[in-house]
Amino acid sequence: MQAVWAQIDGLGKIVTTNVAYTLRLFQMFYTSIRATFFDQAQGLRTVFAVLSAQIYFTGWQAMPLITVLALASGGVVILQSSSNLTLFGGAQMIGNLLVVIVVRELAPLLTALVVVARSGTAVASEVGNMRANREIEALESMGINPLSYIVFPRILGGVISVVCLATYFVLISLLGGFMLTKLIHDMPFNFYVDALTRAVAPEDIWLFLLKNSFSGMIIFVVSCYQGLSVKRSPTEVPIVTTQAVVKSIIYVIVFNLSVTTLFYLHELSRIGVI
Amino acid sequence: MSPFQIPEIKTMTFEQMTFRYDGGAPVFENVDFKCPVNNFIWVKSAQMGAGRSTLLQIMAGLTPISSGKYLINDKNVADMTFEEFIPYRLTMGYSFDYGGLLSNKTLFDNLILPLLYHKLFSEEEAERRVNMYMQEMGILRYKDQRPSAVQGSVRKITCLLRPILSHPQVLLLDEPSLGLSQDLILKYFDLIQDLRRQGSAKHVFVSTFDEKLMGMIEHQELLIDRKQLFCEASGTESTLKKVGNL
C-alpha cells in the first residue's frame, strides 16, 4: 500500500511541477507584453531592430533546411498517396489527403521541430550567456527592461518566422514535391492543383495559423525562460539549452496533438457522429 | 526630451534589511542604516565575500532584498514596479566589477545605448558626449570594436564610463581599479571630480581594496562587518559608529 501511495505522490509531484512551470511561462509571456506596452522609452525602432534580426536568423536562415525537408516529405507523401489512391480508384481524393497530412499536421510539426533545433537552442544559449556575462543586469542598471528589450521581440519574431516558414513548407512540399515526383507518376498538374484548391477549407487555414503561431510562441517563451533561468555560471548554459529543446518539443507536440484531437472531435460532433 | 522626471536623491536608508542568496546564510541581517551621502564613500569589509558587491547591487535596485525595506527618499524600492523605478535608475550609475557589456554591440553602441534609449540627449549630443569621454580615457580608437575584441582594461574603462555619461547623482562603482593602471584610474576619478564640480555625482560609493587610490581621495568609510553596516567620517580615529537610530 505504501508503494502505491509513493507512486501517487510521485505522479502528483510531476503534475504540480509541470503546472507551476507552465504558469511561470505564462507569467513571463504576460509580463513581457506588459513591459513592452508600459515602456515609455522603448520606441518602435528599437523593437523593430531586434525583431528584424530575429526574423532573419529564425526565418530566412532556416529556409534551405526547410526546403530540403519539405521537398523530401512532400515527395514521399505525394508518391505514396497517389499510388495507393490510384490502386483503390480514389485519385480525386489526393487533394484532401495532402491537405490533411501536409497542411494540418506535417508543416506545423516539422517546421516547429526545425525552429526548436536551430533557433530555440540559439536563443536559450544567447540569453543564458547574456545572463552569465551580466548583460541582463547591465540592461536593468541602464533602466532597460530585458523583458521588453530581449524577450518580447524574440517571441514576436519567432511567431512571425514560424508562420512564414510553415507557409513556405506547405508551398514547397505541395508544389516542389509534385515536380520532384513528376517522373514517377503521370498525374496532370492541372488535375493536381484543382484537387488541392477544392480540398482547402477555411478551417484548414485557421488550424494552420493557430498551430503555427502558438508553436512559435511556445518555442521562444520556453527558450527565453530557460535562458533567463541561468544564475551566474556559464556552465549552466548548455544545461538550460538542452532543457529548452526538450521542453519546447514536449510542449509543441502536446499542443499540436491537443488541437488536432479537439478539431476532429468538433468535426465528428458537427456531422453528428458524437 | 526624456519622458521621465528625474528625482533628486536625498536619502538612502535600510530598515530591518535582511538579504540572503537562495537558501543560504544571510549576507545582511536586520540592518538599520542610513547611508552617508554627499561624499565619496569607500565601501569596505574586514574580509573577502562580506557582501560589498551585493550591497552595491541592492543599492542600485538590481538585487531585491529578502526582507525589510530599502528606501530611497523614503520610498520603498520593493513597492515600485520596474517602470516606476526607472527615473531613479537614470540618476544612479552602476559599474560592474567584471562583465556587464553587451557582447553583440560595439563599445560605442554600448555607451550610447542608455542615452538614446531613454532619449536623455539628442543623437548629436549623445555622440559628442560618448566620443569626448572615450577620447578623454584614451579608448576612442576601439570605439567600433566589440567587447570580445579588446583587452580587459579597455572593457573595464568602457564599463566605468557608461554610468557617468548621463551625469547621475549617485555612482556605485564596484572594484573600479581592477585591471587598470594607477594613471588611468586617477584620470577616471578626475572625471568624477569634474562632474561633482558641475553638480552631479554627488554620492559616489566605491567598493575597492585599493587603499592607495582611496588614500588620495577625501572620503567617508562604510564598513560591512558581522552582517551589519557601519560608517565613520574620513580621517577620524574614533571607533566605528553604527548609525542605527533612524
Side-chain angles (χ1 to χ4, degrees):
Chain A
M1 196 60 189
Q2 284 285 347
V4 176
W5 282 117
Q7 290 287 329
I8 294 170
D9 286 349
L11 192 67
K13 195 180 173 188
I14 291 168
V15 171
T16 49
T17 307
N18 282 302
V19 168
Y21 180 82
T22 310
L23 288 176
R24 287 199 299 274
L25 291 181
F26 275 115
Q27 189 191 14
M28 195 195 74
F29 178 61
Y30 165 73
T31 46
S32 71
I33 292 174
R34 188 186 177 281
T36 306
F37 286 99
F38 278 83
D39 195 335
Q40 294 175 47
Q42 180 166 290
L44 276 177
R45 193 173 150 188
T46 318
V47 177
F48 187 75
V50 187
L51 186 70
S52 53
Q54 191 60 47
I55 292 172
Y56 174 75
F57 290 122
T58 306
W60 182 257
Q61 289 194 336
M63 283 173 81
L65 182 57
I66 289 286
T67 307
V68 174
L69 211 57
L71 279 176
S73 52
V76 167
V77 172
I78 290 167
L79 208 57
Q80 289 286 358
S81 46
S82 67
S83 57
N84 283 295
L85 285 173
T86 312
L87 272 179
F88 294 108
Q92 287 84 357
M93 292 300 289
I94 190 162
N96 299 63
L97 200 62
L98 286 176
V99 167
V100 168
I101 295 175
V102 176
V103 180
R104 287 187 196 170
E105 307 302 334
L106 268 188
L109 198 59
L110 289 181
T111 306
L113 292 180
V114 167
V115 172
V116 169
R118 279 192 79 261
S119 307
T121 49
V123 166
S125 59
E126 182 198 14
V127 177
N129 277 316
M130 286 182 83
R131 176 67 98 186
N133 293 331
R134 308 177 77 181
E135 293 174 43
I136 302 287
E137 268 179 280
L139 287 172
E140 286 176 356
S141 76
M142 290 184 252
I144 299 173
N145 195 335
L147 290 174
S148 60
Y149 187 76
I150 302 281
V151 175
F152 181 76
R154 277 167 179 73
I155 297 174
L156 187 59
V159 170
I160 294 170
S161 300
V162 171
V163 172
C164 293
L165 274 180
T167 310
Y168 177 73
F169 183 105
V170 169
L171 290 174
I172 294 293
S173 182
L174 296 180
L175 297 177
F178 178 84
M179 300 298 175
L180 203 69
T181 55
K182 187 83 181 80
L183 297 172
I184 306 168
H185 61 73
D186 58 352
M187 191 188 301
F189 186 67
N190 286 346
F191 169 80
Y192 175 74
V193 172
D194 188 49
L196 275 178
T197 45
R198 270 190 288 109
V200 178
E203 56 264 30
D204 294 316
I205 314 265
W206 288 118
L207 196 71
F208 178 81
L209 289 174
L210 179 77
K211 278 188 170 183
N212 288 303
S213 54
F214 272 78
S215 291
M217 197 184 80
I218 289 167
I219 294 164
F220 288 90
V221 169
V222 170
S223 301
C224 289
Y225 181 85
Q226 288 299 134
L228 288 173
S229 70
V230 168
K231 295 275 192 289
R232 277 285 164 87
S233 168
T235 55
E236 294 171 58
V237 176
I239 300 169
V240 300
T241 306
T242 311
Q243 285 172 345
V245 172
V246 173
K247 286 177 195 286
S248 297
I249 289 176
I250 292 171
Y251 274 96
V252 163
I253 288 175
V254 168
F255 177 75
N256 274 274
L257 268 177
S258 308
V259 171
T260 301
T261 309
L262 288 173
F263 178 78
Y264 283 105
L265 284 175
H266 172 73
E267 287 292 289
L268 289 175
S269 112
R270 196 168 59 86
I271 58 173
V273 174
I274 54 168
Chain B
M1 194 177 173
S2 171
F4 301 104
Q5 283 287 328
I6 308 294
E8 189 190 343
I9 306 276
K10 290 176 183 158
T11 58
M12 300 162 89
T13 315
F14 294 111
E15 285 181 9
Q16 286 294 298
M17 184 272 281
T18 296
F19 176 80
R20 70 181 81 229
Y21 285 106
D22 297 339
V27 181
F28 301 109
E29 197 163 26
N30 299 323
V31 174
D32 284 317
F33 189 76
K34 190 170 185 179
C35 293
V37 286
N38 292 314
N39 208 343
F40 276 95
I41 296 107
W42 183 7
V43 181
K44 296 173 76 173
S45 63
Q47 66 281 331
M48 300 260 289
R52 289 176 303 125
S53 298
T54 307
L55 178 66
L56 292 191
Q57 283 177 15
I58 290 171
M59 290 174 77
L62 294 173
T63 303
I65 57 177
S66 306
S67 64
K69 288 180 180 173
Y70 166 41
L71 308 160
I72 299 179
N73 293 351
D74 298 325
K75 284 188 177 170
N76 191 4
V77 171
D79 293 338
M80 292 187 230
T81 63
F82 189 94
E83 291 80 21
E84 286 167 343
F85 192 60
I86 286 179
Y88 294 93
R89 278 195 203 282
L90 293 183
T91 196
M92 294 172 81
Y94 178 82
S95 167
F96 293 83
D97 49 350
Y98 72 93
L101 292 176
L102 304 181
S103 51
N104 64 351
K105 290 192 182 295
T106 63
L107 299 185
F108 181 83
D109 288 341
N110 261 287
L111 291 175
I112 208 166
L113 176 66
L115 307 183
L116 295 183
Y117 187 92
H118 294 292
K119 303 177 184 74
L120 297 175
F121 305 103
S122 67
E123 209 162 322
E124 294 78 31
E125 169 60 14
E127 278 180 23
R128 189 196 64 78
R129 212 173 253 237
V130 172
N131 283 326
M132 186 188 81
Y133 277 104
M134 288 184 100
Q135 175 80 51
E136 196 80 33
M137 292 300 291
I139 59 166
L140 191 60
R141 65 181 181 277
Y142 302 108
K143 64 183 280 191
D144 296 323
Q145 303 282 342
R146 290 190 176 184
S148 58
V150 297
Q151 60 266 39
S153 59
V154 177
R155 282 200 293 271
K156 183 70 185 177
I157 294 168
T158 312
C159 210
L160 285 169
L161 281 181
R162 192 168 55 197
I164 67 170
L165 284 168
S166 58
H167 294 188
Q169 294 170 53
V170 182
L171 266 177
L172 302 153
L173 308 175
D174 198 356
E175 298 288 359
S177 58
L178 206 69
L180 293 185
S181 68
Q182 199 71 29
D183 285 354
L184 272 173
I185 192 65
L186 287 177
K187 200 184 270 185
Y188 179 70
F189 273 82
D190 280 347
L191 290 178
I192 296 178
Q193 293 287 22
D194 284 346
L195 291 183
R196 286 174 65 79
R197 277 191 283 275
Q198 290 166 30
S200 49
K202 288 180 195 164
H203 329 295
V204 184
F205 294 82
V206 186
S207 159
T208 181
F209 281 117
D210 192 342
E211 290 186 9
K212 197 173 165 191
L213 168 69
M214 295 314 290
M216 295 179 200
I217 302 161
E218 195 180 328
H219 63 268
Q220 274 181 280
E221 291 183 4
L222 191 164
L223 182 71
I224 303 171
D225 191 27
R226 286 164 279 135
K227 301 168 190 174
Q228 292 291 320
L229 303 178
F230 305 88
C231 81
E232 69 167 359
S234 177
T236 57
E237 294 296 322
S238 61
T239 316
L240 289 172
K241 175 170 64 84
K242 182 180 178 186
V243 184
N245 47 341
L246 296 168

